Amino acid sequence: MKVLISGASIAGPAVAYWLSRSGHDVTVVEQASSLRGGGQAVDFKGATHRAVLERLGLWEAVHRARTSPTDLQLVDASGRVKAVIPHEFSGGDVEVLRGDLGTLMFERTQDDVDYVFGDRIERMGDLTDAVDVVLRSGRRGRYDLVVGADGVHSGVRRLAFGPEDEYVQFLNHYYAVVGSTLSPRQPTEEDSAGPAIGYWYNEPGRLAAIGGSKAPDMFVFASPRLDYRRDSTEEQKKILASVYARSGWRVPEMLARLESAEEFYLDGINRVKMDGYSRRRAVLVGDAGYANTLGGFGTGLAIVGAYVLAGELAAAGNDVAAALRRYDEVMHPYARIARRGNAGGFLAPRNAMSIRLRDLSFRNRLLYAMQMKLANAFANDIELPAYPQLDG
């Protein structure tokens, strides 16, 4: 088949790897002008994630690029430690910067896949038999399948399924990442002395975090939906500075860094809820179909989804409709974790009592063990199909 994939972060190159390996003609279009380095760290946990990374041939490479283990100290305004989130909870079995993982995926596929940077899908025609696509640059093509791997604000989802507000639920929180993690400290023998330290400080409805590989400076705050321009970094910085203007601890220091920060990203905490991820000749993989911002499972879901989609297409031969039905049937139950919960309520509890209860869950060994068990259960809650056509 001739396949067009929108998005060159994680899910897109993962789909491209499997489909090009199956003999398909694959193009990946990415609106950014180049690969994005650095960024937040993403993690993998459990046997399912490891199995897919091994089948991708990336398990060892991911380990070589992994970030340093980082414990998170929950502190009060004076810096006194109230509880510690162990690195095993926030970093899974292995943690790597999103940009580093994206680079590994790109390197695995660049010789067999046509990458188009600085462009995006603008229009898609009828999806019944083949899809006529027009890119913003004016480039045109006709494709047997279009894959939306373009994140929570997916353009493919909007064009194939309908307006964003029909599928994306804003969860009454925002988050902002400030600064760059382009050169994190890599694990060394010195790590035997103990993990690195990051810090979380909470006030009701607000989190300010310093250090750790998830972000150099990170903010999470409760809020009704805000009206701002997505293309105006300065406007977004002013919103953030206003929200945290009276906050204690080291927040003034963080806001001072905000003014000159070249790396900055603000968005709502959102959840994508869909009954299925395919519509005729269009299909969604990763956050485009099953996002839950900062929920901790997004990248694992993306690589599993890419593997399942490619495997079902290989198993079904020329019956694309049957393959996409099977993809929905396999992935929808597994991705239910993305349709539950709100990370904003965990990261930025709305009142002092909720903050204390959250902290208690990490001081109490039984409560912590229950959280770890639940997280591992969700990560491995799939009987990963075997696809001889891919794995042979």
Side-chain angles (χ1 to χ4, degrees):
M1 294 190 299
K2 190 175 181 183
V3 181
L4 178 63
I5 300 170
S6 177
S9 180
I10 305 301
V15 176
Y17 171 78
W18 293 116
L19 293 186
S20 63
R21 181 171 171 164
S22 299
H24 301 297
D25 178 5
V26 181
T27 298
V28 176
V29 59
E30 166 58 50
Q31 65 177 341
S33 59
S34 62
L35 287 179
R36 296 166 176 166
Q40 290 177 271
V42 297
D43 60 86
F44 300 99
K45 55 178 67 72
T48 299
H49 294 174
R50 175 167 183 162
V52 175
L53 286 173
E54 286 180 338
R55 293 174 195 183
L56 280 164
L58 286 177
W59 179 252
E60 296 300 328
V62 165
H63 264 269
R64 287 193 296 271
R66 72 193 187 277
T67 62
S68 179
T70 303
D71 287 346
L72 299 172
Q73 294 188 352
L74 309 181
V75 300
D76 62 17
S78 66
R80 181 175 63 90
V81 178
K82 301 184 296 178
V84 176
I85 301 178
H87 60 272
E88 294 90 351
F89 182 85
S90 60
D93 297 335
V94 62
E95 183 183 64
V96 61
L97 294 186
R98 176 178 290 276
D100 289 350
L101 179 60
T103 298
L104 290 173
M105 299 296 301
F106 175 75
E107 291 171 348
R108 290 284 285 162
T109 55
Q110 61 180 327
D111 293 337
D112 303 307
V113 173
D114 180 20
Y115 278 89
V116 179
F117 288 96
D119 213 344
R120 62 176 292 173
I121 298 174
E122 199 72 16
R123 296 197 300 276
M124 297 197 310
D126 182 75
L127 303 173
T128 303
D129 296 314
V131 188
D132 291 310
V133 174
V134 180
L135 302 185
R136 176 172 289 178
S137 64
R139 178 173 173 171
R140 297 170 179 267
R142 187 172 177 83
Y143 298 91
D144 299 295
L145 183 68
V146 175
V147 181
D150 44 354
V152 65
H153 302 296
S154 170
V156 171
R157 187 186 59 235
R158 175 177 53 81
L159 292 170
F161 290 81
E164 180 171 304
D165 59 11
E166 293 184 7
Y167 301 100
V168 178
Q169 297 180 330
F170 171 63
L171 298 178
N172 297 306
H173 288 79
Y174 285 88
Y175 77 104
V177 177
V178 182
S180 174
T181 51
L182 287 173
S183 301
R185 185 176 73 86
Q186 296 297 321
T188 67
E189 292 181 2
E190 296 176 359
D191 286 331
S192 60
I197 301 297
Y199 302 93
W200 280 15
Y201 168 69
N202 280 102
E203 296 171 349
R206 292 189 293 272
L207 166 72
I210 295 177
S213 53
K214 295 300 184 189
D217 283 357
M218 185 171 75
F219 301 84
V220 179
F221 59 95
S223 171
R225 190 181 294 276
L226 300 172
D227 183 18
Y228 62 89
R229 289 170 48 205
R230 290 185 55 82
D231 62 348
S232 175
T233 298
E234 289 307 310
E235 182 180 351
Q236 295 168 33
K237 286 183 178 181
K238 288 179 181 178
I239 290 173
L240 193 63
S242 176
V243 170
Y244 284 85
R246 295 176 177 82
S247 292
W249 187 56
R250 297 169 61 183
V251 174
E253 165 194 331
M254 298 173 70
L255 295 181
R257 287 195 290 269
L258 173 66
E259 295 179 9
S260 59
E262 295 182 2
E263 297 285 335
F264 177 84
Y265 181 79
L266 182 142
D267 199 3
I269 292 183
N270 298 292
R271 176 170 56 210
V272 175
K273 294 192 74 172
M274 305 187 74
D275 295 329
Y277 313 118
S278 61
R279 180 159 292 180
R280 296 187 289 278
R281 292 280 174 152
V283 61
L284 306 175
V285 178
D287 281 355
Y290 27 89
N292 193 320
T293 309
L294 303 182
F297 293 90
T299 308
L301 284 171
I303 64 164
V304 173
Y307 176 72
V308 171
L309 173 62
E312 293 299 338
L313 286 167
N318 294 324
D319 194 343
V320 174
L324 298 186
R325 282 196 302 272
R326 277 287 300 153
Y327 168 70
D328 283 347
E329 290 169 2
V330 174
M331 282 304 298
H332 197 261
Y334 181 50
R336 72 181 185 277
I337 182 59
R339 301 187 293 275
R340 301 178 177 180
N342 174 3
F346 170 80
L347 297 167
R350 287 182 175 268
N351 55 62
M353 177 60 74
S354 296
I355 293 172
R356 286 195 293 270
L357 290 174
R358 192 275 314 275
D359 295 351
L360 175 63
S361 70
F362 291 100
R363 292 199 304 269
N364 183 289
R365 291 185 179 181
L366 178 59
L367 293 176
Y368 174 69
M370 290 173 61
Q371 291 185 85
M372 286 293 292
K373 183 177 181 179
L374 186 62
N376 290 332
F378 279 123
N380 294 287
D381 189 22
I382 185 173
E383 186 175 343
L384 196 64
Y387 299 110
Q389 299 90 340
L390 296 185
D391 301 330

Tab-separated table of all heavy atoms in Angstrom, residues 24 165 210 218 228 266 344 365:
chain	number	residue	atom	x	y	z
A	24	HIS	N	5.453	-1.821	2.397
A	24	HIS	CA	4.603	-0.716	1.967
A	24	HIS	C	5.437	0.528	1.658
A	24	HIS	O	6.553	0.698	2.159
A	24	HIS	CB	3.560	-0.400	3.043
A	24	HIS	CG	2.679	-1.565	3.376
A	24	HIS	ND1	1.841	-2.144	2.445
A	24	HIS	CD2	2.503	-2.265	4.523
A	24	HIS	CE1	1.177	-3.146	3.012
A	24	HIS	NE2	1.578	-3.242	4.279
A	165	ASP	N	-13.431	19.303	19.767
A	165	ASP	CA	-14.192	19.321	21.023
A	165	ASP	C	-15.183	18.171	21.145
A	165	ASP	O	-15.755	17.951	22.213
A	165	ASP	CB	-14.896	20.667	21.221
A	165	ASP	CG	-15.854	21.007	20.093
A	165	ASP	OD1	-16.142	20.134	19.256
A	165	ASP	OD2	-16.325	22.168	20.051
A	210	ILE	N	10.984	21.530	40.183
A	210	ILE	CA	12.328	21.850	39.706
A	210	ILE	C	13.136	20.561	39.625
A	210	ILE	O	13.159	19.769	40.560
A	210	ILE	CB	13.047	22.838	40.649
A	210	ILE	CG1	12.345	24.197	40.661
A	210	ILE	CG2	14.504	23.009	40.238
A	210	ILE	CD1	12.967	25.182	41.640
A	218	MET	N	8.730	22.787	35.772
A	218	MET	CA	7.395	22.428	35.318
A	218	MET	C	6.358	23.016	36.259
A	218	MET	O	6.554	23.073	37.478
A	218	MET	CB	7.224	20.909	35.240
A	218	MET	CG	5.877	20.492	34.645
A	218	MET	SD	5.760	18.713	34.301
A	218	MET	CE	5.550	18.066	35.953
A	228	TYR	N	-6.434	31.999	24.999
A	228	TYR	CA	-5.130	32.552	24.637
A	228	TYR	C	-4.748	32.043	23.255
A	228	TYR	O	-5.298	31.049	22.753
A	228	TYR	CB	-4.053	32.158	25.659
A	228	TYR	CG	-3.806	30.669	25.767
A	228	TYR	CD1	-2.871	30.019	24.955
A	228	TYR	CD2	-4.515	29.882	26.680
A	228	TYR	CE1	-2.647	28.665	25.040
A	228	TYR	CE2	-4.303	28.520	26.777
A	228	TYR	CZ	-3.365	27.920	25.958
A	228	TYR	OH	-3.154	26.566	26.051
A	266	LEU	N	3.070	25.400	26.824
A	266	LEU	CA	1.904	25.401	27.703
A	266	LEU	C	0.728	24.792	26.965
A	266	LEU	O	0.501	25.090	25.782
A	266	LEU	CB	1.577	26.822	28.165
A	266	LEU	CG	0.385	26.962	29.132
A	266	LEU	CD1	0.661	28.020	30.195
A	266	LEU	CD2	-0.908	27.315	28.387
A	344	GLY	N	-3.961	15.921	36.522
A	344	GLY	CA	-3.942	17.223	37.168
A	344	GLY	C	-4.331	17.153	38.626
A	344	GLY	O	-3.756	17.848	39.473
A	365	ARG	N	3.927	2.466	53.052
A	365	ARG	CA	4.432	1.423	52.151
A	365	ARG	C	3.328	0.638	51.472
A	365	ARG	O	3.426	0.296	50.293
A	365	ARG	CB	5.333	0.465	52.946
A	365	ARG	CG	6.647	1.087	53.403
A	365	ARG	CD	7.531	0.044	54.069
A	365	ARG	NE	8.806	0.611	54.494
A	365	ARG	CZ	9.751	-0.085	55.084
A	365	ARG	NH1	9.585	-1.393	55.318
A	365	ARG	NH2	10.892	0.504	55.448
